[in-house]
Every structure is written in structure tokens, then in C-alpha cells.
Amino acid sequence: MQAGIFKVCLVVVTAIVNHPLLFPNNKTAVPANDDLIVEKLREREENLKKEQLELERLLSGQKEPAEDNPKTESKESEGASGWDLWSTVSMVIFLMIEVWRQDYKDNNSQEQSKEEDDLLFIGNNCHGVSLPNKSMLTIFHDQYIRASTHDAVRSREFVEGFADDLLEALRSVCNRDTDMEVEDSICIGSMYENWRVNRPLICDLLVPFAPPEPYHFRCHPWVSDPSIGPDKQNYGTIQVCGPDDGPSDCVCDRKRLGEDMLCLLHNPINNKKVTKDLNLLCLRNTNYLDIDQVMKWFQTAVTKAWGKISHKYEFELTFSHLDSPGALRVKFKSGKVISFNISPVVQYEDTDLYFISHFPSTPRGVSSSIYWMLSFAVYERRFLKDFAKKLPENSCHLSCLQIMTFLHSKQCHITGPSGLTMYHLKTILMHLLLRRPYSDWGAVMLEERLRDMFKSLEKSLLEKKLYHFMVGNGKLPETVNLPEHFREAEPVNLFRSFVLNRDLYQKTLSMFYEMLKNATVVINEYSLHLPNGHSNKMH
């Protein structure tokens, strides 16, 4: 009887231990609305009750026959004792397995949620950080930010004038029949959007180029080419196509010319000559435009162009980066330096989208040299310019971006570069502009909007998700005039690298919270140690 009671107790204890709610996960709960899970739990409880009743029936059935026959009682008691021993051992083992399984499950769940718990705990810091007040932020912006960018206008004017002269010389040294045709430059980036802070004040210019007739470029962005995988979103390929790759409007395509007649536009002899030269800019044995070949051609062309006009200028022109032939550095005899980037690009159809190898300030995102990144810089500049007209006078939106990029730059000097770039900060601001009313961007709201930017950036980092502002954004104003198939495309996650690279993500997250923690100290330091006299000298 005692053994039977002990068995029943073991069954009950096992059932309790095995119950899913005994060791609940702190971060999870049983979904009450999930009918399937609830039904399974009910069936499990009913089966346990049936097993308990069956054991009680067996125990009650053993007692009655034992009173009639003592011999039978002794035999059955021996057999029952053996059965009780083995069943007891089995139940103890089963109990140990259940306890171990629950511990193992809890340990795994704790390990898996450890990172998320830490992030949630750290994430509350953004709300607890005390940024400088409005007056201190205003002093910092007026004394340092504006003082450090006071000569931006003169730098832009010089770069634009010199770039026009350099490109004109480049056209003169190129063969119009065999070389690429270079168009006028296009000004983009932070210097022309009026939020550049970090020195040197670098101007960014795009230089579109095209092949000579009758050749043309055929672009294939990721939104229209299924063969481009998700790891190459925001990229595309460019084919160099000749007159035989597609129909043209020339009469020689519609009529067979005699052997003694020759089309002046589609002369096969000239076509062979052009093809031979154009292949130097394509990947070997393909007709895909190769980034490395284009960079070599452009660097050679710029060097020749400078050699032709260098006698007119009293300064030195050098290349700043070997991997970016368009990154140029002007050094005057006085020691003053002006840097700017002129990047060769390919226009996508009849739009303001341009394929670029990469911006000199950021590394190339794809290793293959046939994949070109699509730049939305012209549309972004248009959006910021048009949106500023709707905001209050002296709005604080660019001031917020300037302060944030300044803090980011100073923190990168301390901890080293991470996966967070100035373009990410600019994307955060553009998303926030569409979410807040126009009146919320007055000059007196600088502190509140700066905190909003920090919160938005933190949320995006914790979720590892920051969508491209242009691609797949249904809230984009119609005045931007972005092509429809990009507006309706799947959104592009700019933080996708954080999902794939855990080390990069941890480093970036750590850098962000260090930047947040040091924000007040850095701003106070630059505000208090920048006297008005120094500001006047800079002017």
C-alpha cells in the first residue's frame, strides 16, 4: 500500500513538473488566444488524470484477492514488490529527465534572450540621458558649428568653377570617336544641403559619362532584375550595348544595302575600332561595365586634363585616395587646403538617378566590380530643399543633423569607425521630418527634436532595421518625382549588415551609447572653451 501511494505521489509530482506553466519564461506567456495550444494542454491533463485513475484502480484491485488466499498474497506481494521497485526506479529516472529538460530549456531560452534583455535594459538609457538645455545647444551651434562652416560658400564657388574648367580640359584631351563622353557636373551631398560640419569641408560632384554613338548603356537595377540577390539591394549592372544589340531607327536596319553602299553611322570598320576601345572598360569577356576599368580611365583622363591647364593656377592638385581617383585635393601656397570629389556616374534612363561605384567616404559594399550602387542624392537634395520651404523660419532640422554628425565624428575618433555612417543619420532625419508636424521644427524646439533623433536612431539600432528613405516609401511627397517602380518597390533595410555581422552590430551599438553618454560633456567642452574672440578670428 505504501509503495502504491508512493507511486501515485511520483505520478502527481511528475505531472506537476511536466506542466508548462511551472517554469514560465519571464519574457513569454502562453498565448491564451491560440486554440490549438490550449486544446493540447487540455488533452495532456486528461491523459494524466486517466493514468492516475488507472493506477488507483490497480492498487484497489490488489487488496481484495489478497484477503482470500494467503499463499497467493505472498506470491503477489513478492511480484508486486519487484514491480514496485522497477517502476519506482523508472519514475525517479523519468522525474530526473523532466527536471533536466526543463532546466536545459530555460537555460537555452535565457541564452537566446540574453542579448535582447541587455539591449532592452541599455535601451532605456536613451530616455534617461540628459542632453544640454536649449541655451547650451544654441551657444554650441552658433559658436562652433556656424564658425567652422563660415567659409563653405566660398569653397563651393571655387570647387564648382575649377571643376568646370577641369572637365572642359578633359573633353579636349579625349577622342570623341572612341572615348567616353563626359557631361557637366552635378553638385550633391552635405555641402550643398547645408549641413556639413566635419572638416575638411568636402564638396561632392557627380560627373555623368556615356559611350560614343552608336553605343549606349543599358542599366539593370535590382528592382527590375530578379537575378540580383537580396545582398545586392540598391545595386545594379550596366551593359555596354552596340548597334547590333537592339533595333534602331536607321534606314539600314529596314533595307538591305548593296555591296557598294555603306551606312556612315553603322560602318562596321568604325564599329570594330570603337568596340576594341570600349572593351577596356568592361569586365573581361563580358559586355558589363567594370568599375575598376572605369576608375583607371577616369584617373588617366583627369591627370591629362590637369596637365593641360595646370599652368593657369598657382596651386597643387593631387589625388587624396588611391582607390577613389576622383578624390582631389587642392593645396595653395598659403597652406590652405580644399578637398572635393568628382565621381564618374552613369545616368539611369531619363531620371535623376545615377549609378556610382561608391562614395569616397564609404567603402565599396559589393566585392564584384560589375555591380554599381544607385545614388538617390539628387532626389534627397530636392526633398530637403522643398520641405524646408514648409517649415518655420530658422527651423532646427539641419541644426539637429549637424550636432548629431559632429558627435558621431568625435566619437569615431575615440572608438574608431563602426557600421553607423552620416548617411544613416541623414536618413533618420528625413523619416522624422515626415512624421512630425511642420510647427514642431521651430528654432525653440532644438532640444526636443535632437532627442527625437536619438530615440529614433536607438529604436532602429535595437530593431536592426532602418529603411531607405526613397525606396518603397509610400509617404514620399509627389513633388520629389521619384520613378514609380522605385516608390512601389520593396523597402531596403540599410541596417541589413547588422543582421549578418554580429561583431559589427555590437561595436556599432556600443559606439552609439558611448556617443550618447558623452554628448553633454563634448558639447559643454566645445562651448566653454571656444571664446568669442576665437570665433571672430575664424571669420
Side-chain angles (χ1 to χ4, degrees):
M1 180 66 181
Q2 294 178 351
I5 295 174
F6 180 70
K7 288 193 297 181
V8 173
C9 292
L10 284 178
V11 171
V12 174
V13 171
T14 303
I16 295 175
V17 171
N18 196 42
H19 199 280
L21 297 179
L22 179 61
F23 302 107
N25 193 339
N26 292 331
K27 299 296 180 183
T28 60
V30 176
N33 295 331
D34 197 330
D35 296 334
L36 181 61
I37 296 179
V38 173
E39 184 64 26
K40 288 184 178 179
L41 290 177
R42 288 176 180 173
E43 292 178 0
R44 192 171 188 178
E45 291 179 355
E46 291 176 359
N47 291 335
L48 290 174
K49 289 180 180 180
K50 289 181 181 179
E51 292 178 2
Q52 183 176 350
L53 293 175
E54 183 65 19
L55 288 174
E56 292 177 354
R57 187 185 64 80
L58 291 174
L59 291 175
S60 61
Q62 287 178 355
K63 183 177 179 180
E64 294 178 357
E67 295 176 353
D68 297 335
N69 194 342
K71 295 181 179 181
T72 305
E73 178 182 0
S74 61
K75 293 181 180 179
E76 290 180 356
S77 63
E78 291 177 0
S81 298
W83 187 84
D84 290 342
L85 177 62
W86 287 109
S87 61
T88 301
V89 172
S90 300
M91 296 298 291
V92 170
I93 294 174
F94 181 68
L95 177 62
M96 294 175 63
I97 292 174
E98 285 296 318
V99 173
W100 174 83
R101 185 179 67 84
Q102 293 289 345
D103 290 341
Y104 179 77
K105 181 179 179 181
D106 288 345
N107 290 335
N108 278 351
S109 62
Q110 289 176 4
E111 291 177 0
Q112 293 175 356
S113 62
K114 183 179 180 180
E115 179 184 355
E116 286 76 5
D117 293 341
D118 292 342
L119 295 181
L120 290 174
F121 174 76
I122 297 174
N124 294 328
N125 290 345
C126 187
H127 303 277
V129 169
S130 57
L131 294 174
N133 55 33
K134 294 183 180 68
S135 59
M136 182 59 70
L137 288 174
T138 302
I139 293 173
F140 168 71
H141 186 268
D142 291 343
Q143 287 189 351
Y144 185 82
I145 301 296
R146 289 185 179 176
S148 62
T149 59
H150 75 283
D151 57 348
V153 175
R154 285 181 292 179
S155 297
R156 290 197 300 259
E157 292 176 352
F158 167 79
V159 168
E160 291 176 33
F162 176 68
D164 290 341
D165 195 13
L166 185 65
L167 293 178
E168 187 62 34
L170 190 150
R171 296 185 188 99
S172 65
V173 299
C174 291
N175 189 325
R176 296 186 178 182
D177 296 327
T178 58
D179 284 334
M180 295 289 179
E181 299 176 358
V182 178
E183 301 176 10
D184 294 333
S185 61
I186 302 170
C187 303
I188 62 165
S190 56
M191 279 287 285
Y192 296 95
E193 294 168 351
N194 299 316
W195 57 271
R196 179 80 185 188
V197 176
N198 304 324
R199 286 188 171 274
L201 301 177
I202 301 178
C203 298
D204 292 300
L205 293 86
L206 303 181
V207 181
F209 67 97
E213 294 182 353
Y215 289 82
H216 65 279
F217 289 141
R218 183 178 298 164
C219 302
H220 305 279
W222 84 101
V223 294
S224 60
D225 190 348
S227 64
I228 300 179
D231 59 322
K232 297 180 180 64
Q233 287 184 331
N234 208 35
Y235 286 82
T237 57
I238 304 171
Q239 288 181 295
V240 182
C241 301
D244 297 331
D245 295 327
S248 67
D249 295 331
C250 184
V251 68
C252 69
D253 284 340
R254 298 187 297 268
K255 296 181 180 180
R256 176 175 294 183
L257 301 179
E259 295 181 357
D260 57 343
M261 297 183 65
L262 190 65
C263 179
L264 297 178
L265 292 177
H266 302 102
N267 188 339
I269 299 178
N270 293 336
N271 289 344
K272 290 180 180 180
K273 183 179 179 181
V274 175
T275 302
K276 180 180 179 181
D277 290 332
L278 283 179
N279 283 339
L280 297 176
L281 302 184
C282 295
L283 188 66
R284 187 175 181 180
N285 298 326
T286 71
N287 67 337
Y288 286 100
L289 194 66
D290 182 76
I291 290 176
D292 297 331
Q293 297 294 335
V294 171
M295 294 296 105
K296 292 177 182 178
W297 159 76
F298 192 70
Q299 184 176 32
T300 302
V302 169
T303 304
K304 292 180 180 179
W306 171 242
K308 186 174 181 179
I309 63 173
S310 59
H311 64 278
K312 299 192 304 182
Y313 297 96
E314 296 182 355
F315 56 73
E316 297 179 358
L317 180 68
T318 57
F319 293 101
S320 302
H321 305 286
L322 295 178
D323 60 338
S324 300
L328 302 176
R329 182 174 181 266
V330 173
K331 184 177 182 180
F332 296 90
K333 291 182 178 181
S334 62
K336 182 179 179 179
V337 174
I338 295 180
S339 300
F340 62 99
N341 302 318
I342 50 175
S343 303
V345 297
V346 174
Q347 185 180 16
Y348 173 65
E349 296 180 351
D350 190 20
T351 69
D352 289 324
L353 296 171
Y354 295 91
F355 283 98
I356 185 173
S357 62
H358 69 287
F359 289 101
S361 59
T362 58
R364 188 185 299 179
V366 179
S367 58
S368 177
S369 61
I370 66 170
Y371 288 98
W372 296 68
M373 183 176 68
L374 193 60
S375 171
F376 294 78
V378 177
Y379 289 99
E380 291 166 356
R381 181 184 178 186
R382 183 182 304 163
F383 166 77
L384 291 174
K385 182 179 179 180
D386 293 342
F387 204 86
K389 299 175 182 178
K390 305 175 183 178
L391 300 179
E393 187 177 359
N394 297 323
S395 60
C396 66
H397 66 296
L398 294 183
S399 301
C400 292
L401 184 57
Q402 287 177 317
I403 294 175
M404 208 166 189
T405 53
F406 172 81
L407 295 174
H408 172 261
S409 174
K410 296 303 177 184
Q411 190 61 46
C412 287
H413 288 157
I414 299 174
T415 59
S418 66
L420 192 65
T421 65
M422 289 196 303
Y423 185 73
H424 294 146
L425 305 182
K426 174 184 171 182
T427 303
I428 290 289
L429 172 66
M430 291 190 293
H431 280 298
L432 196 60
L433 285 172
L434 292 183
R435 289 200 296 264
R436 307 288 309 191
Y438 301 141
S439 58
D440 286 357
W441 294 98
V444 296
M445 304 297 290
L446 177 60
E447 180 184 358
E448 289 79 0
R449 298 294 79 80
L450 183 61
R451 184 176 294 278
D452 287 344
M453 284 192 65
F454 274 115
K455 290 180 181 179
S456 298
L457 179 57
E458 182 192 38
K459 182 175 182 295
S460 298
L461 284 172
L462 295 179
E463 295 177 352
K464 302 179 183 178
K465 189 182 298 181
L466 175 62
Y467 288 126
H468 195 287
F469 180 71
M470 293 288 170
V471 181
N473 187 357
K475 299 180 180 179
L476 196 66
E478 295 290 340
T479 55
V480 177
N481 292 326
L482 185 70
E484 197 67 23
H485 52 288
F486 288 98
R487 183 193 295 269
E488 298 177 353
E490 288 293 325
V492 175
N493 184 12
L494 300 180
F495 282 171
R496 186 175 184 272
S497 59
F498 295 154
V499 180
L500 304 176
N501 191 334
R502 180 185 178 89
D503 293 337
L504 178 64
Y505 175 66
Q506 293 291 348
K507 182 178 180 180
T508 303
L509 195 65
S510 175
M511 188 279 297
F512 167 74
Y513 285 115
E514 286 295 319
M515 176 181 71
L516 190 64
K517 184 176 65 175
N518 298 332
T520 300
V521 176
V522 172
I523 291 176
N524 289 339
E525 182 74 15
Y526 277 86
S527 299
L528 297 176
H529 291 79
L530 186 65
N532 292 332
H534 181 69
S535 178
N536 294 332
K537 288 181 182 180
M538 296 184 69
H539 286 281

